[in-house]
């Protein structure tokens, strides 16, 4: 069974009462055996289901599903919102879609080929992540987008503060971290077309409650909202807060560039004033003290040879022990 069907099936279940296999089979036009098999596969996505003979199925914990209408209502007609049960990657899907003049948010319950930065993959959990992309039109040439990914991180960090997430900081260029563990990632892909504004496809993955099997797939230190003790009854409310914050910061960025957002960014930087090691893919590295950020979001590092700027690219940042 496709995971799209599994999402439909799981959304027909609740944690409060049992639903019989017959009722589920009728609802989805499936045999009871297929319902049973599909619900068995839910464990692979970290979703636990209780089955009691004669009563049916029940979720062990409530799941929160995304609701396009609820999000649309909160954001108003200025936005276009779409929620899909499954997609390869919400970034890839938006790149396939035609441009719109309005900001367009496409969220998915599941991604089968989620993309991360530097060609890595991105793992999410069914109903345990927020996986979404926003297509945002920018007028003017692409050089004005320098520092965009940093501003997106700032927008997320501010919104997460408002959602009650403690100690949210940023790691240059655009990881949202808590206690040096990654809570959210950002992947921006820019599309320029002749005679129309350029579009930034801003992909965001936020960890809400990752099951152990998803966490095991990830090769870096991660954290989720559940571990931080933030109760998430409704993922829609978090997504709405993130989108409102993006709207504010992207407009400010369009008007003022990164320089107009720099002060707030530096205040959030977990590595501001710290001694760091910057490593490039070819094995080279530089050690120095982070002194701040330049007008385009470049990292300024005090080294023995003076202050050097580093641009967002194939370079990674670590605290120097
Ligand atoms: C990173 O490596 O830090 C960036 C991760 C970005 C993941 C998000 S999930 C939604 C959107 N769709 C994708 O395929 N990737 C981004």
């Amino acid at each position: 069974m496709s995971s799209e069907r599994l999402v439909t099936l799981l959304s027909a279940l609740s944690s409060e009462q049992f639903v019989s296999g017959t009722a589920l089979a009728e609802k989805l036009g499936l045999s009871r055996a297929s319902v049973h098999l599909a619900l068995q596969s839910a464990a692979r996505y970290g979703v636990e289901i209780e089955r009691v003979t004669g009563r049916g199925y029940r979720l062990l914990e409530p799941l929160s599903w995304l609701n396009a209408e609820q999000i649309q209502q909160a954001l108003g007609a200025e936005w276009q919102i779409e929620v899909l049960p499954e997609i390869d990657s919400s970034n890839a899907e938006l790149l396939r879609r035609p441009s719109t003049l309005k900001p367009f948010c496409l969220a998915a319950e599941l991604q089968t080929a989620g993309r991360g930065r530097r060609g890595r993959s991105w793992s999410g959990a069914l109903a345990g992540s927020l996986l979404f992309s926003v297509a945002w039109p920018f007028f003017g040439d692409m050089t004005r987008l320098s520092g965009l990914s940093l501003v997106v991180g700032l927008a997320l960090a501010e919104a997460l503060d408002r959602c009650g997430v403690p100690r949210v900081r940023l790691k240059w260029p655009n990881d949202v971290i808590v206690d040096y563990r990654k809570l959210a990632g950002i992947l921006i892909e820019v599309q320029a077309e002749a005679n129309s504004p350029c579009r930034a496809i801003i992909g965001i993955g936020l960890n809400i409650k990752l099951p152990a099997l998803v966490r095991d797939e990830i090769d870096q230190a991660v954290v989720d909202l559940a571990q931080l003790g933030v109760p998430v009854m409704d993922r829609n409310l978090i997504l709405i807060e993130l989108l409102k914050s993006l709207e504010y910061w992207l407009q400010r960025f369009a008007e003022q560039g990164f320089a107009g957002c720099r002060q707030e960014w530096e205040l959030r930087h977990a590595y501001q004033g710290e001694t760091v090691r910057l490593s490039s893919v070819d094995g080279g590295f530089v050690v120095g003290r982070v002194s701040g950020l330049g007008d385009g979001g470049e990292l300024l590092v005090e080294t023995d040879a003076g202050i050097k700027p580093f641009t967002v690219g194939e370079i990674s940042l670590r605290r120097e022990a």
Side-chain angles (χ1 to χ4, degrees):
M1 163 170 299
S2 71
S3 34
E4 184 168 337
R5 278 256 185 87
L6 178 62
V7 171
T8 318
L9 197 48
L10 289 176
S11 34
L13 290 182
S14 91
S15 59
E16 278 149 23
Q17 58 196 40
F18 285 89
V19 183
S20 75
T22 314
L24 288 169
E26 269 172 24
K27 191 164 181 176
L28 270 97
L30 295 168
S31 67
R32 281 181 56 187
S34 316
V35 167
H36 179 62
L37 270 180
L39 290 180
Q40 264 184 339
S41 76
R44 270 192 270 136
Y45 298 93
V47 177
E48 291 184 291
I49 293 171
E50 183 183 10
R51 181 180 178 219
V52 175
T53 314
R55 297 182 76 188
Y57 302 88
R58 186 177 76 90
L59 295 172
L60 278 189
E61 282 183 36
L63 297 177
S64 153
W65 300 104
L66 294 176
N67 179 326
E69 265 172 48
Q70 183 183 345
I71 305 163
Q72 184 77 66
Q73 235 172 32
L75 287 156
E78 293 304 304
W79 281 80
Q80 184 176 338
I81 308 290
E82 189 174 326
V83 174
L84 295 174
E86 180 193 293
I87 195 70
D88 52 352
S89 144
S90 56
N91 265 38
E93 176 62 12
L94 276 187
L95 286 164
R96 292 188 288 260
R97 300 278 184 104
S99 298
T100 51
L101 281 174
K102 291 180 182 187
F104 182 2
C105 170
L106 179 76
E109 295 292 3
L110 258 184
Q111 288 188 140
T112 51
R115 311 212 282 228
R117 286 178 58 221
R118 302 183 188 180
R120 291 166 124 172
S121 59
W122 182 264
S123 304
L126 187 56
S129 300
L130 272 178
L131 307 167
F132 66 101
S133 301
V134 171
W136 190 274
F138 280 99
F139 295 86
D141 67 279
M142 277 166 63
T143 55
R144 296 191 48 190
L145 298 188
S146 159
L148 170 64
S149 68
L150 284 79
V151 172
V152 171
L154 181 57
L156 300 187
E158 284 217 335
L160 290 167
D161 264 0
R162 284 196 290 277
C163 294
V165 184
R167 305 182 299 284
V168 188
R169 318 273 303 271
L170 295 167
K171 177 186 172 195
W172 185 86
N174 60 6
D175 285 348
V176 179
I177 61 173
V178 174
D179 304 334
Y180 298 97
R181 291 181 291 164
K182 186 155 163 174
L183 177 62
I186 298 160
L187 173 70
I188 299 192
E189 298 177 79
V190 177
Q191 212 176 34
E193 284 160 29
N195 305 322
S196 57
C198 66
R199 275 203 303 172
I201 308 296
I202 303 167
I204 293 164
L206 169 71
N207 304 328
I208 292 187
K209 187 174 183 191
L210 298 181
L213 54 134
V214 172
R215 195 179 300 234
D216 291 347
E217 283 170 23
I218 304 173
D219 61 356
Q220 53 185 327
V222 289
V223 68
D224 60 30
L225 296 188
Q227 285 177 307
L228 294 169
V230 181
V232 178
M233 306 308 284
D234 186 349
R235 283 184 304 144
N236 293 289
L237 299 180
I238 300 186
L239 181 53
I240 290 166
E241 205 57 61
L242 296 180
L243 294 176
K244 284 185 176 167
S245 187
L246 277 171
E247 185 169 25
Y248 168 78
W249 281 102
L250 292 177
Q251 276 163 4
R252 182 158 154 187
F253 174 74
E255 284 158 19
Q256 304 176 13
F258 180 75
C261 313
R262 174 179 31 214
Q263 200 181 2
E264 282 94 334
W265 206 98
E266 286 179 350
L267 283 172
R268 286 250 175 211
H269 194 197
Y271 294 74
Q272 183 75 11
E274 297 261 336
T275 301
V276 295
R277 171 182 291 246
L278 286 148
S279 312
S280 57
V281 273
D282 60 13
F285 68 89
V286 172
V287 174
R289 185 184 155 275
V290 173
S291 64
L293 297 183
D295 280 356
E298 61 278 17
L299 187 74
L300 303 177
V301 180
E302 269 172 44
T303 67
D304 293 342
I307 294 192
K308 286 193 164 191
F310 291 88
T311 47
V312 179
E314 297 296 296
I315 201 150
S316 67
L317 175 69
R318 294 256 171 289
R319 251 185 320 170
E320 181 70 344

